[in-house]
Amino acid sequence: MVSYIENYDPANSAALHEAYGYAAGLSACVLVWAILHHLYFYHMQCVGMRLRVAVCHMIYRKSLRLSSSAMGKTTTGQIVNLLSNDVNRFDQGAFEE
């Protein structure tokens, strides 16, 4: 592309067609990259949401298995805090890397 622009000759149609070919190839590569990039991030978001649901499920199951003495020491607010704030911190740590 740069060579065609530097050595521009209006009479050379072969160079023009070659430049069009390179431009089309570059455009196709950018389009394929954009599609693959968005698919990758979509699938990573799905994996992240599955992990979040799995962690919430583990915390919920653990809270159901607490003994009576442990349940007396644990408030509902602590469990809700685990489910909301701590899982959000887990999400933020996963997306920063």
Side-chain angles (χ1 to χ4, degrees):
M1 292 288 296
V2 174
S3 176
Y4 173 75
I5 293 171
E6 286 178 350
N7 304 323
Y8 178 69
D9 182 15
N12 191 356
S13 65
L16 177 65
H17 292 296
E18 185 179 353
Y20 281 150
Y22 284 133
L26 185 62
S27 299
C29 286
V30 169
L31 180 66
V32 167
W33 176 82
I35 290 170
L36 292 177
H37 189 258
H38 287 289
L39 282 173
Y40 168 76
F41 275 102
Y42 169 73
H43 287 293
M44 289 300 108
Q45 288 286 335
C46 289
V47 168
M49 289 305 295
R50 287 181 184 153
L51 284 172
R52 179 184 174 88
V53 168
V55 170
C56 288
H57 176 71
M58 288 189 318
I59 292 171
Y60 182 71
R61 284 188 61 192
K62 179 64 178 178
S63 68
L64 291 178
R65 290 184 183 176
L66 288 175
S67 64
S68 298
S69 62
M71 191 59 110
K73 295 177 186 175
T74 306
T75 65
T76 306
Q78 288 174 326
I79 296 172
V80 171
N81 187 34
L82 282 173
L83 285 171
S84 60
N85 295 338
D86 293 347
V87 174
N88 276 337
R89 270 191 246 139
F90 176 74
D91 283 344
Q92 289 173 357
F95 288 126
E96 288 175 1
E97 294 177 5

